[in-house]
Amino acid sequence: MPIRQKPKRGAFAVFLCLFLLIIPIASIHGQTQSEVAPPAKSDTYATTYDGKKERIQHRELARANFRISSVDLSGEDVLSQAAKIFGNNPIKSSGDAGTASQEACYQSATEGDSTHLIFERGEVDFRFTLSSGVSEGKGNLVCTRSGKITRDITTDSGLHLGLTKQQVIAVLGLATNRSQNVRQHTEVLIYSLETEEKTDPQKLEQWWEREVKENPRASRQTFLENYANYTLEVYITAQFTNDSLNRLNVSWSGQY
């Protein structure tokens, strides 16, 4: 009969102590690494206006991230949508040609609630900014008070002020990039995404009917080659102070 040796309790205790010490180190390391997606073969790079290279992830986000209080960035006119829900608002226009944009700002009507929601329409893109206060120096931008703007206002996907970084990542996935300001205790998760999408069939037919009215000899094949598909560019920044979301900017742009 083989003789069983008793386990060496001293060696086991040392191993257990080392294992318990390694766990928190690994957890901390994993948490830091999990905020930004590692480079992928599908990634591409673009040059920004200031000459810097920007990484672009090629993956799709749920459309629920582009809807907030029934205002849909993929809709025809976000400012008109916002006016129907939050009320008419003085629209601020700025820029010209390719940089032209129009903005409408709404803020909470509750005393002590600094929640602001700004909608913006550019030449080919639509944006909204949800923040706890307007700190970006918008100049003469007039914000209309609305009882429908509250601290709990959320996108259809569940993004709202006060979320932690990990809660935002659970909705949007790993970020493309990340920046940090240690002195101000702020961090920003940056999402730069691009996908090829098919145009909504109903919208496509509406465009075709309009095209035929303007040009009876229009080629259906040429029309489809130009408008059946588009490149969707999404840019999202989520800013945190002490790991609490205090500013969310979502930009949607369809390029044909």
Side-chain angles (χ1 to χ4, degrees):
M1 178 180 295
I3 300 176
R4 295 182 179 178
Q5 295 183 346
K6 294 183 178 181
K8 297 181 180 180
R9 298 185 181 274
F12 178 78
V14 172
F15 171 80
L16 181 61
C17 290
L18 290 174
F19 180 75
L20 292 176
L21 284 172
I22 289 173
I23 288 178
I25 295 175
S27 299
I28 293 174
H29 179 73
Q31 184 176 356
T32 301
Q33 294 297 318
S34 65
E35 293 177 0
V36 177
K41 291 182 178 180
S42 59
D43 291 346
T44 56
Y45 293 84
T47 303
T48 60
Y49 291 110
D50 54 3
K52 296 181 180 179
K53 280 193 173 183
E54 181 183 78
R55 181 164 71 106
I56 301 173
Q57 291 177 279
H58 287 259
R59 65 179 178 88
E60 191 171 3
L61 274 185
R63 292 305 178 94
N65 292 295
F66 309 133
R67 295 191 298 268
I68 185 166
S69 291
S70 299
V71 178
D72 191 345
L73 292 186
S74 64
E76 289 296 326
D77 188 344
V78 295
L79 300 188
S80 296
Q81 293 180 61
K84 291 178 181 178
I85 297 170
F86 303 110
N88 292 324
N89 186 296
I91 295 176
K92 176 187 175 183
S93 299
S94 60
D96 55 13
T99 62
S101 67
Q102 293 181 309
E103 296 171 286
C105 177
Y106 299 90
Q107 69 181 89
S108 174
T110 304
E111 189 68 27
D113 186 351
S114 61
T115 303
H116 285 68
L117 182 57
I118 300 174
F119 294 97
E120 186 172 356
R121 177 181 62 199
E123 184 182 22
V124 294
D125 61 325
F126 302 97
R127 295 184 287 275
F128 72 76
T129 300
L130 176 64
S131 65
S132 54
V134 179
S135 59
E136 60 274 10
K138 285 292 182 178
N140 60 347
L141 182 62
V142 178
C143 297
T144 298
R145 292 188 178 274
S146 171
K148 295 183 178 180
I149 302 293
T150 69
R151 178 74 178 178
D152 298 325
I153 196 169
T154 179
T155 65
D156 285 7
S157 62
L159 296 174
H160 60 82
L161 299 176
L163 292 179
T164 66
K165 287 181 293 181
Q166 291 304 317
Q167 288 173 323
V168 170
I169 290 172
V171 176
L172 298 177
L174 296 177
T176 312
N177 205 347
R178 169 182 173 271
S179 65
Q180 183 179 29
N181 188 316
V182 178
R183 290 186 177 182
Q184 297 181 4
H185 305 285
T186 61
E187 292 181 65
V188 179
L189 295 181
I190 302 167
Y191 293 82
S192 183
L193 312 173
E194 185 176 298
T195 55
E196 295 299 317
E197 303 286 338
K198 290 185 177 181
T199 303
D200 177 78
Q202 184 177 356
K203 183 183 294 185
L204 189 64
E205 288 307 310
Q206 292 174 351
W207 291 352
W208 171 243
E209 291 176 5
R210 186 172 58 190
E211 178 74 12
V212 172
K213 287 181 180 180
E214 296 176 356
N215 180 15
R217 296 184 178 181
S219 167
R220 175 75 175 183
Q221 181 178 349
T222 301
F223 173 81
L224 292 176
E225 289 175 355
N226 291 331
Y227 299 106
N229 301 281
Y230 66 94
T231 300
L232 174 60
E233 297 177 357
V234 174
Y235 191 79
I236 299 175
T237 58
Q239 177 179 295
F240 304 83
T241 299
N242 296 320
D243 200 24
S244 176
L245 181 66
N246 64 352
R247 180 180 171 83
L248 175 69
N249 183 278
V250 179
S251 174
W252 184 100
S253 177
Q255 305 280 356
Y256 286 92

